Amino acid sequence: MSQQSNFSTGQPENPEKETASGYFGKTEQLVHQYVNNRITLLKLMAAEKGSRLVSLTVMLVLITVLVLFLLIFISIMGGYYFAELTGSLFKGFGIITGIYLVLLILVLALRKKYLEPFVANKFISIFFEKTASDEEPETGQSD
């Protein structure tokens, strides 16, 4: 009869078991919330880094286009200048072409030593740049 009275009142037979399951349920909920917060943080950090990289890429493309136009017009001016000095359009623009050929050879010769490491380091520095939120001290044990 005592078992029936416990069922009819709705009270658990073992209150310690109810407390333990409530604790683990709450802990599981907190772990899920923590994991979701970390995923959201990682998404925001990736969006920040990605948007920074895209904005730098757009600026680099814009600057490159403007420099390209500048070089084209300066090259035309130089070609006509050297053409006037040499008396031949072919020789004048040939001198400008020779200058660009020397620059191309220099770039190809020095790209592995200087250009590729520079670009790779810039790319890495964008992704691993410390922000104000990264510099906050963590509240865990330090080893």
Side-chain angles (χ1 to χ4, degrees), residues 45-57:
M45 289 173 61
E48 177 188 5
K49 303 289 183 178
S51 64
R52 179 164 161 75
L53 184 64
V54 167
S55 69
L56 287 174
T57 303

Side-chain angles (χ1 to χ4, degrees), residues 40-108:
T40 303
L41 176 65
L42 288 174
K43 286 179 183 177
L44 289 172
M45 289 173 61
E48 177 188 5
K49 303 289 183 178
S51 64
R52 179 164 161 75
L53 184 64
V54 167
S55 69
L56 287 174
T57 303
V58 168
M59 288 303 298
L60 182 65
V61 167
L62 183 65
I63 289 171
T64 302
V65 167
L66 292 175
V67 167
L68 183 66
F69 280 129
L70 183 70
L71 282 175
I72 288 172
F73 289 119
I74 288 176
S75 297
I76 293 170
M77 286 174 41
Y80 279 115
Y81 175 75
F82 286 122
E84 191 174 307
L85 288 179
T86 60
S88 168
L89 280 176
F90 181 77
K91 289 179 184 176
F93 282 95
I95 292 170
I96 296 297
T97 303
I99 291 171
Y100 280 120
L101 188 62
V102 169
L103 287 174
L104 176 67
I105 291 170
L106 282 174
V107 167
L108 290 176

Side-chain angles (χ1 to χ4, degrees), residues 42-54 56-57 119-131 134:
L42 288 174
K43 286 179 183 177
L44 289 172
M45 289 173 61
E48 177 188 5
K49 303 289 183 178
S51 64
R52 179 164 161 75
L53 184 64
V54 167
L56 287 174
T57 303
V119 171
N121 289 336
K122 279 295 182 187
F123 186 76
I124 289 170
S125 71
I126 289 171
F127 274 102
F128 294 107
E129 181 179 51
K130 286 196 175 274
T131 59
D134 294 337

